[in-house]
Amino acid sequence: MSIDTPLFEVLRTSDYENLIWCQEKSVGLQALIAIHDTTLGPAAGGVRMYPYESEQRALDDVLRLARGMTYKAAAAGANLGGGKCVVLGDPKRGESEALFRTLGRFIERLGGLYIAGEDVGTTAQDLALVGLETRHVFSLPAEEEVAHFTAFGVVQGMRACLQHVSGSADLQGRTVAVQGVGAVGSDVVRRLVEAGAMVTVAETDQDRLAQITKSYPVTAVPVQELHARPVDVYCPCALGAVLNERTLPELRCKIVCGAANNQLATEECGDRIAEQGILYAPDYIVNAGGLLAYADGQQPGGFNRARALAAVERIAETTQRVLALAKEHQLPTYRAADQLAEQRIAAVGQAKTVATGWGR
Ligand code: NAD
């Protein structure tokens, strides 16, 4: 056993509800499922498969990511809690039908406490295998693309930021630098161009770059230059930690608003960007569109496109609320986002106590 942290200490540090260890030697499955908070509903979270260098790293990751999902779902107004599953292994070598079906059986045993989705290292096909053994898997109808809901939400968040900074949410004539034109970024570009924005892109994958410059009137710049462009909005849609000690002094945008998860390298970077007078749209607020689409599919009667789009459209309102809270209390926006999420969990938790007359 190479885990250093005492296990109940791990749960206590941030009020986790459960930590489930799953093992099936015959198929080589080792997985951890963390349930952070289910006040608002079943714990939602992706299944991440990664060749962790140690069990401690896997534990740290599952805990951090589960907590993040609680905040994301709460702030987005979804009736979901936060959870996560990590599978210890190399997605390029370790995947097998038996492994994902076995994971599905573990998830089924939890009786709906945890609902699984895709994440780094797993695909829709892997989740379909999980779904052969359990109903508790997020899915959308085959013709729907989750990244398009995420992209729609990012653009809604961007409009709210523009409204806040300039008094108009109009994208016509705005300059936007989009980093990464993968599943989400390419659809963000499409929406921006259609709304009349002037778009600059950077992308490491040359095929994707060629595709986007062929399809839309966008300007391509080298990857290492994009964040320093003098634009209205810098829109990270590739990697995390893009707002760091090195990039912050080079930023020349008014707003940062993009889909990438964990854009702030550290919380201090969130404080610094506010001090620089740049409006940072908290990533988990504006990239919740995909989660909201999945949440819609959990409703009785299943997925309803118009209802899902209406929920994603409200990311503009949520962003406005975060920005107003930050302004009112003189907080960096990332802290305001956390407060919004915590307030909703506390209020619903209180309501549940009242309804039952005793602790939830
Ligand atoms: P993706 O893998 O389809 O696209 C990412 C793109 O970024 C790829 O084309 C990649 O080549 C490119 N890239 C990598 N490094 C780069 C760099 N340094 N500069 C420029 N381009 C670079 O991923 P995605 O599904 O589009 O997700 C993008 C981001 O949004 C990720 O951080 C993801 O976690 C986050 N996110 C995605 C969703 C979703 O619905 N897919 C939801 C929430 C958050």
Side-chain angles (χ1 to χ4, degrees):
M1 173 66 92
S2 58
I3 300 228
D4 306 327
T5 325
L7 292 181
F8 278 99
E9 184 58 31
V10 164
L11 299 183
R12 254 196 310 274
T13 43
S14 206
D15 291 336
Y16 290 84
E17 293 179 8
N18 299 94
L19 183 57
I20 299 118
W21 305 68
C22 312
Q23 172 175 267
E24 177 49 54
K25 287 183 188 166
S26 65
V27 299
L29 174 71
Q30 282 188 322
L32 283 168
I33 300 173
I35 308 294
H36 177 252
D37 190 294
T38 57
T39 305
L40 300 176
V47 177
R48 177 166 292 196
M49 185 165 187
Y50 192 77
Y52 290 98
E53 63 198 47
S54 68
E55 292 171 7
Q56 182 74 49
R57 278 289 171 89
L59 178 63
D60 291 344
D61 216 23
V62 79
L63 293 169
R64 181 178 61 83
L65 294 165
R67 185 167 189 275
M69 286 305 298
T70 297
Y71 279 77
K72 180 170 179 166
N79 294 317
L80 292 169
K84 200 78 186 183
C85 173
V86 299
V87 177
L88 288 76
D90 187 343
K92 295 197 185 75
R93 287 189 311 196
E95 292 179 60
S96 73
E97 179 186 0
L99 184 139
F100 285 111
R101 291 190 72 150
T102 307
L103 180 65
R105 295 181 74 83
F106 278 109
I107 292 168
E108 179 62 16
R109 253 187 221 174
L110 300 178
L113 184 68
Y114 168 67
I115 309 177
E118 279 172 58
D119 199 80
V120 174
T122 57
T123 62
Q125 291 74 27
D126 300 333
L127 267 291
L129 292 170
V130 173
L132 292 175
E133 303 293 338
T134 178
R135 288 159 295 141
H136 307 300
V137 175
F138 287 119
S139 66
L140 291 179
E143 66 279 13
E144 300 291 354
E145 187 76 60
V146 67
H148 294 176
F149 291 90
T150 305
F152 178 43
V154 168
V155 175
Q156 288 301 111
M158 202 179 289
R159 286 182 181 278
C161 292
L162 287 165
Q163 176 77 40
H164 190 84
V165 165
S166 71
S168 165
D170 198 352
L171 283 160
Q172 180 72 40
R174 306 285 193 171
T175 49
V176 186
V178 180
Q179 183 177 39
V181 289
V184 180
S186 59
D187 198 53
V188 167
V189 169
R190 175 182 71 80
R191 290 169 188 277
L192 293 175
V193 169
E194 283 172 5
M198 291 182 286
V199 180
T200 306
V201 300
E203 166 64 59
T204 46
D205 181 318
Q206 294 310 307
D207 291 342
R208 282 186 171 169
L209 186 63
Q211 183 65 41
I212 205 88
T213 51
K214 201 172 79 185
S215 309
Y216 302 103
V218 298
T219 309
V221 299
V223 163
Q224 59 279 10
E225 287 176 21
L226 189 92
H227 67 276
R229 302 292 292 184
V231 287
D232 293 313
V233 187
Y234 166 40
C235 178
C237 293
L239 312 167
V242 289
L243 304 174
N244 55 47
E245 295 295 326
R246 186 183 59 79
T247 58
L248 282 183
E250 296 172 355
L251 293 184
R252 288 159 72 203
C253 56
K254 299 186 182 108
I255 295 165
V256 178
C257 177
N261 279 314
N262 304 315
Q263 290 169 34
L264 295 170
T266 61
E267 291 198 341
E268 291 69 38
C269 290
D271 301 335
R272 278 217 12 225
I273 198 167
E275 286 158 18
Q276 285 177 231
I278 296 171
L279 181 64
Y280 165 64
D283 44 19
Y284 73 78
I285 298 290
V286 299
N287 75 12
L291 178 68
L292 286 166
Y294 280 136
D296 188 89
Q298 297 294 307
Q299 296 201 32
F303 183 77
N304 176 311
R305 186 163 213 274
R307 190 177 58 197
L309 285 172
V312 179
E313 198 168 2
R314 286 196 288 277
I315 286 178
E317 278 166 46
T318 310
T319 308
Q320 279 166 6
R321 284 175 65 197
V322 169
L323 301 183
L325 195 65
K327 195 170 173 188
E328 188 186 339
H329 297 285
Q330 297 287 301
L331 293 169
T333 50
Y334 78 94
R335 284 204 193 280
D338 285 0
Q339 278 196 9
L340 189 78
E342 284 161 7
Q343 281 167 8
R344 179 165 178 243
I345 294 166
V348 173
Q350 182 62 26
K352 288 188 178 178
T353 310
V354 170
T356 55
W358 48 282
R360 64 181 180 87

